[in-house]
Amino acid sequence: MTENQLPATLAEIRDDFLALEQRERLEMLLEFANELPELPPRYSEHPDLLERVEECQSPVFIFVEVEDGVVHLFATAPREAPTTRGFASILVQGIDGLTVDEVLGIPDDFPNTIGLTEAVSLLRIRGMTAMLGRTKRQLRERVAA
Amino acid sequence: MTVETDSAPKFAGYAHPERLVSTEWLEAHLGEPGLVVVESDEDVLLYETGHIPGAVKIDWHTDLNDPVLRDYVDGEAFASLVGGKGIARDSTVVIYGDKNNWWAAYALWVFTLFGHEDVRLLDGGRDKWIAEERPFTTDRTTPEAVDYPVVERQDAEIRAFKDDVLAHLGHPLIDVRSPEEYSGERTTAPAYPEEGALRAGHIPSAANVPWAKAAAEDGTFKPVAELDAIYREGAGLTEGEPVIAYCRIGERSSHTWFVLTHLLGFEDVRNYDGSWTEWGSTVRVPIVKGAEPGEVPAR
């Protein structure tokens, strides 16, 4: 178990944000938003499979897959909600390809540590915390199933 | 220096037609000296994905709220914020935003706390502008900073605090939240995050008029006759009586404040920005649950 150990992928994203001025952090978040991959057809054609993150202001949906012990995270959010897309994109890029234990070990307060609480406000960061929480919960369900 | 007002016939029926501009008017006046266009959205990054050419961004949370106190910024911070955006005390400010101008109306209300005289909304907001395929850009706006005087915020006229609401009970209150929040089924808007209220329901005697009822399909404000039907006939508001509007944190109710004050011409309208997140967590204030307004409690 790698309990509460931040995976290198997410640590790198965090360090990249922290190295920037507040204003540039917003720009990087927008870059993440633009990089959120399109859903593969098996999900874009079956939105019923996706779970809505109720805590987010904008409709954002996530789905977790486990294949040979490797985790894949899919997410979608509207273009009109770039902040939410940015949060989802950070998690997708940071989580995709990790092992189950690595994902379950991500500290729950990760969203508060990447230097965005001032740039986007603590209130909005809660949406990302909820996304991470639901990702981990879905993952536990998949593994238990 | 004030930019001419929009004399569109649609606005003529409103009490203060000078508070609105149409998308046609704004496109024709873009770049005019004395005019500053401000975008204010729910999403802090939406402006960066595209905005009206020359528009500056003001974020309701990171710019207008004090970072420590639950309060708005003070006169010094406001002067530095808007001066830095190229807004002078005599500028004509036109604000627009997403979601039927929800956050734009909130920004307008905060500008009014500082007595900024000429501040208007773009009727239909961001979505209408985009739908009409008017000029839109991601080019960064680099406004030239100007001096804005440090003006003390004047809360008394248009802002109500909890004790003001308690003293006001017996006069009209408008609860602009969703029916589910009003009845107490939930404490947050459907699909919105929990912002922390310990009790659910509404302030006794408040009429429930969800804020978006004031907007037509295309996001513009409804004509005055329809607004009269909603607020005068429907909610029973009458001339000369003070009104307080509230929601969850005071943003949706600033939209209603705009409608009552500038479109219908009510003269004593206050926005209770503490709203449900304060009332619903306050010890021993009266609360009514269910779909009915309920009685004003005896004192």
Side-chain angles (χ1 to χ4, degrees):
Chain A
M1 266 312 256
T2 46
E3 189 67 39
N4 294 332
Q5 181 76 40
L6 190 62
T9 45
L10 287 169
E12 196 179 317
I13 292 173
R14 176 197 61 197
D15 295 345
D16 286 348
F17 270 112
L18 291 178
L20 298 172
E21 298 293 321
Q22 293 292 343
R23 191 198 162 93
E24 296 168 329
R25 290 180 196 180
L26 270 187
E27 287 169 13
M28 189 159 113
L29 184 61
L30 183 61
E31 283 170 29
F32 270 102
N34 291 332
E35 288 166 7
L36 182 66
E38 293 290 323
L39 287 179
R42 64 183 183 280
Y43 293 127
S44 57
E45 288 160 14
H46 290 281
D48 50 301
L49 291 175
L50 295 161
E51 172 178 340
R52 176 160 183 165
V53 182
E54 299 285 351
E55 295 86 347
C56 282
Q57 298 194 351
S58 311
V60 51
F61 297 86
I62 57 164
F63 193 82
V64 180
E65 270 183 7
V66 185
E67 205 183 347
D68 301 329
V70 175
V71 179
H72 299 290
L73 176 64
F74 301 94
T76 179
R79 295 255 160 223
E80 298 73 39
T83 301
T84 304
R85 285 178 66 85
F87 292 160
S89 180
I90 289 170
L91 291 180
V92 167
Q93 292 190 30
I95 284 177
D96 201 79
L98 298 180
T99 66
V100 171
D101 282 350
E102 281 172 334
V103 176
L104 293 179
I106 297 170
D108 292 332
D109 69 345
F110 168 74
N112 291 318
T113 65
I114 58 176
L116 286 175
T117 50
E118 197 179 315
V120 308
S121 87
L122 199 54
L123 190 72
R124 290 169 170 136
I125 283 286
R126 283 186 203 161
M128 187 172 178
T129 308
M131 252 184 259
L132 177 61
R134 281 170 185 263
T135 300
K136 289 166 83 169
R137 199 210 67 235
Q138 271 197 25
L139 188 55
R140 282 190 201 100
E141 288 169 5
R142 302 269 180 282
V143 175
Chain B
M1 183 169 32
T2 305
V3 179
E4 63 153 351
T5 56
D6 185 348
S7 53
K10 186 218 157 180
F11 302 152
Y14 296 135
H16 300 284
E18 73 279 7
R19 293 294 178 174
L20 285 176
V21 303
S22 59
T23 48
E24 295 82 8
W25 183 96
L26 186 57
E27 186 172 353
H29 286 78
L30 280 183
E32 205 163 296
L35 171 69
V36 182
V37 183
V38 173
E39 177 165 336
S40 218
D41 300 313
E42 178 173 292
D43 191 300
V44 68
L45 273 178
L46 191 56
Y47 166 90
E48 277 80 3
T49 69
H51 53 80
I52 296 177
V56 295
K57 164 173 115 173
I58 291 184
D59 182 66
W60 67 276
H61 205 290
T62 58
D63 287 329
L64 297 177
N65 274 278
D66 185 277
V68 179
L69 288 189
R70 183 172 175 189
D71 199 358
Y72 298 100
V73 290
D74 62 12
E76 249 170 77
F78 184 76
S80 143
L81 167 74
V82 301
K85 307 279 182 193
I87 298 170
R89 187 68 172 162
D90 61 355
S91 293
T92 295
V93 178
V94 171
I95 312 182
Y96 73 99
D98 61 351
K99 309 204 167 175
N100 301 345
N101 280 327
W102 175 339
W103 306 91
Y106 189 51
L108 181 143
W109 180 76
V110 175
F111 268 76
T112 309
L113 287 175
F114 289 98
H116 191 96
E117 204 176 306
D118 189 1
V119 54
R120 317 177 188 176
L121 284 184
L122 173 66
D123 197 27
R126 191 176 191 274
D127 289 347
K128 185 163 192 277
W129 185 274
I130 292 174
E132 293 168 349
E133 300 183 352
R134 296 184 188 276
F136 219 56
T137 182
T138 51
D139 291 349
R140 185 179 290 188
T141 303
T142 44
E144 201 169 313
V146 297
D147 274 331
Y148 194 94
V150 174
V151 183
E152 203 185 327
R153 213 179 57 222
Q154 296 293 328
D155 291 335
E157 268 189 37
I158 61 167
R159 185 180 184 196
F161 296 97
K162 187 185 91 252
D163 289 345
D164 299 327
V165 178
L166 282 166
H168 176 89
L169 287 177
H171 296 291
L173 280 159
I174 303 280
D175 183 321
V176 315
R177 297 173 303 159
S178 61
E180 294 82 7
E181 294 168 272
Y182 178 83
S183 67
E185 280 168 60
R186 52 183 303 152
T187 55
T188 60
Y192 272 72
E194 176 58 64
E195 274 165 8
L198 294 172
R199 289 290 186 269
H202 57 265
I203 301 176
S205 79
N208 185 208
V209 186
W211 70 283
K213 279 198 175 173
E217 289 276 309
D218 64 354
T220 58
F221 289 102
K222 286 181 180 165
V224 72
E226 289 179 40
L227 295 176
D228 274 337
I230 294 166
Y231 293 99
R232 290 184 210 270
E233 285 129 58
L237 297 186
T238 51
E239 230 59 64
E241 232 188 333
V243 188
I244 293 178
Y246 72 93
C247 58
R248 185 186 39 147
I249 55 170
E251 12 66 82
R252 284 173 284 180
S253 45
S254 25
H255 189 273
T256 298
W257 173 86
F258 181 88
V259 172
L260 297 179
T261 301
H262 291 316
L263 305 187
L264 293 180
F266 287 98
E267 285 187 353
D268 186 356
V269 186
R270 283 175 292 169
N271 178 22
Y272 170 38
D273 60 278
S275 275
W276 198 256
T277 52
E278 178 179 48
W279 195 272
S281 292
T282 300
V283 177
R284 295 179 80 178
V285 294
I287 290 176
V288 171
K289 290 193 82 152
E292 295 304 317
E295 299 297 319
V296 174
R299 297 183 197 218

